[in-house]
Amino acid sequence: MRNIEHNMDSAVPGCRDRWAFAAVGVVVLLAIAASLQFATWLDGPGSPEARRLDTGWFYLRDGVSEPIDSLPCTLDVEGESLVLCRDLTEEEKLHSRYVLTIRSRYASVRVWADDALIYEAAQGREHALGSMWHFIPMSACAQADRLTVELQPYGSDTYTVESMLLDTPGAIRYALLWDNGPVILFGSVCLLLAISVLTAAALLRRWKSQAYAPLLAFALLLLLSGAWILLDSKITTMGGGNYAVSYFLSYAAFYLLDVPFLLYVRQMTPNCRRLLTVLIWAVILNAGLSMALHMAGLVELRHTAVIVHALILVSLPASTAAFWDSAVRRRERLLRFSFLGQIAVYVFGLVSIALYHLDRLPAAKSTSLYMVGLSILIAGMAVDMISSFGKFWRTKEAAEHYRRLAVVDSMTEMGNRNAFQGRLDALLEQNPEQLAFVAFDVDDLKRINDQMGHHVGDQAIYTAALCIRAVFDTVGYCHRIGGDEFMVILTGKAVSQIPKLLARFQREVEARWDDQLPSCGISYGWASAAFSAEAPLTTEDLTRLQAEADRSLYQQKQERKAGR
C-alpha cells in the first residue's frame, strides 16, 4: 500500500505541471480575446509608395537632348558618363524637406543644381563601390531651375537607370524597407536560425558529442548567407555611414559562402574529403587574395567574381559526388534533404551565373535566383540537422538510461554500489575539509522475510530508503550498498548538522514505519573527520571512517535488542 501511495505522490508534480501549462495557455487566449474585444487601431507611417520622379527626364547624346519616356530604362552609352537632366517645377522646388533618392550600379554619381555641384558620391572607377543609394536633399535645389545627374557606367555599352524617388525621408525609408521586404525576411530568418543552431552546437559540445561540428558549419553557412543577402541589398546603408563596410563585407560573405557548405559535406560524408579540403582552402585563399589585390589597386574586386564562380562550378560537382555516394548509394537518411538542396543550388546557381555573364540578368538582381536555391538548400540542411539532433538525443537518452542502470538502484532510486565507489574516488580528488559517513540498516529484516514474506521485506527496505532520502537527499549523497544497508556521505557544513538531521530522520521513521512489522525500525551510526592540505584525505581514511560508522551502527542495534 505504501508503495502505491508513493507512486501516486510522485505523479502529482507531473499533473501539476500539465495544469500549469494549460493555465498559461488559457491566460494567453484571454489576452488575445481581450485584444480583440478592446481593439484600438492606429495609423501607421503611411503608404509605402513614395513619390517617384520617373518622368520629365532627358539625356544628352552627342550634345543633343533626347527625351526619356519613363524610368527605369536602359540607355546606350558611348562616352564615359551618362548625363541626365530634368527641369524642376515650382512645386518640386518648394518641397525643401524632400529627398531625391537615386540608386546606381557600379557608377560614381555627381548632381548639379543648375551649375552648382551639390552632390558627389564614390571615389571613381578604381573603387567601384556600386549598387548604392544616393540621397540628395532638395533644399540645395530651392533656387535652381534644372537638375543634372552624371553617372559613370564603367565601361559598359548600355546603362540601366533605376527609378528615382522624391519624397520625405520617412516615406523614402518606408518605401525602401517595403521594396526589400523579402530580402530582410530572408536575412533575419537566417540570422535567427544561426543563433538557434549555435545554441544547439554549444549544447552538443558540452555533452562531448562530435555532432556539434556539422552544426557549427551549418550555423556559419546561415550567418554568411543572411549577411550576404542583407549587405548586397544595401539595406544596411539606408541610414548613411561608411558604405564601403557593407560593400566589402558583402563580397567577403559571398566569396566565403562555399566554405561552410564544403565543411558540412566533409563532416557528414566520408567521401572526397581530400578534394573537399583542397577546395575549402582554395576558396579561402581566393577571397583573401582578391581583397588584398583590390586594396593594392591592382584589380577591382568586382572583376574577381569570375574566379569565385569558377570555384563554385568546381565545388558543386565535388560536393554532389560526395553526397551521391552517401545519400543515394548508401541511402543515409540524414543526408537526403541536403542532397536535394544541393541539386537546387546547382540548378539555380548555374542559371544565375549563366544569365549574369550573358547580360540577361541585371547585376542588381543577380542574387535573386541564387537566393531561391540557397533557401531550398538551407531548408534541406535544417531538416537533416533536426533529424541528426533528434537521433543524437535519442542516443543520449539511451546512454543515460543505461548509465542510470549502472549507477542507480532500481528499487530505491538511490545510488548503487557502483555510484558509491565512484563517489569515494571523487572524494579523494576533492579532499574535503569535513567528511562524514552515516550508515543505516533495517532491524530484523530476516525475521520480517521469514514471518511475513520477502515482498514485505522489500517494502521495509523501500520505506527505509524513503526516510533516508526525505532527510539527506538535499544535503548529501545517498546510496544503497547492500540488501538493507545504506550509506550517506556528507561533506562541508552539513557534517555539523548530523545530530539535527538524525533527529528529523527518527521522526520520519516514526511517521512511515509499519508498527505491525516484527522490527524495531532502522538503526544508524556515523563517523566524521576533518582534513586539510597538510593532512589530506587518503584511501585508508575512507576505510577507517566507514568502519567506524558501521561500528556505531551495530552498537545501536545491540542497544535496541537489549532494550526490548
Side-chain angles (χ1 to χ4, degrees), residues 45-54 98-101 135 163-179:
S47 170
E49 289 295 329
R51 179 183 176 186
R52 298 184 182 273
L53 201 66
D54 290 342
Y98 277 22
V99 174
L100 175 65
T101 302
F135 303 99
S163 179
M164 299 188 188
L165 302 177
L166 179 66
D167 215 309
T168 61
I172 296 293
R173 291 191 185 94
Y174 199 4
L176 296 179
L177 289 173
W178 183 269
D179 291 342

Side-chain angles (χ1 to χ4, degrees), residues 251-329:
Y251 266 99
F254 175 66
Y255 279 31
L256 294 172
L257 200 56
D258 251 7
V259 173
F261 178 68
L262 294 173
L263 283 171
Y264 173 82
V265 176
R266 192 183 66 177
Q267 291 160 357
M268 295 294 286
T269 69
N271 313 307
C272 308
R273 289 191 171 180
R274 183 171 297 178
L275 175 58
L276 294 173
T277 301
V278 171
L279 288 173
I280 288 169
W281 283 106
V283 171
I284 295 173
L285 291 174
N286 174 68
L289 185 61
S290 298
M291 290 288 174
L293 291 176
H294 182 91
M295 294 175 67
L298 300 176
V299 179
E300 293 181 23
L301 193 56
R302 61 192 177 94
H303 290 156
T304 62
V306 63
I307 302 177
V308 179
H309 293 160
L311 288 172
I312 292 174
L313 292 177
V314 176
S315 300
L316 285 175
S319 55
T320 302
F323 271 136
W324 179 270
D325 189 66
S326 296
V328 178
R329 291 184 180 178

Side-chain angles (χ1 to χ4, degrees), residues 67-146:
I68 299 175
D69 293 334
S70 180
L71 301 180
C73 68
T74 300
L75 303 173
D76 292 331
V77 179
E78 296 182 354
E80 290 189 357
S81 62
L82 172 66
V83 179
L84 305 175
C85 299
R86 189 181 190 281
D87 293 329
L88 296 174
T89 65
E90 293 298 324
E91 180 184 1
E92 291 166 353
K93 289 190 287 184
L94 289 174
H95 293 296
S96 59
R97 295 188 303 109
Y98 277 22
V99 174
L100 175 65
T101 302
I102 304 172
R103 183 175 181 179
S104 65
R105 181 77 178 184
Y106 298 126
S108 61
V109 177
R110 291 193 292 176
V111 180
W112 285 268
D114 288 341
D115 295 327
L117 181 65
I118 60 174
Y119 182 84
E120 184 174 15
Q123 311 297 325
R125 182 189 302 269
E126 64 274 14
H127 288 272
L129 304 181
S131 189
M132 60 189 292
W133 283 310
H134 308 277
F135 303 99
I136 300 96
M138 289 301 291
S139 57
C141 304
Q143 306 299 324
D145 295 321
R146 172 170 292 190

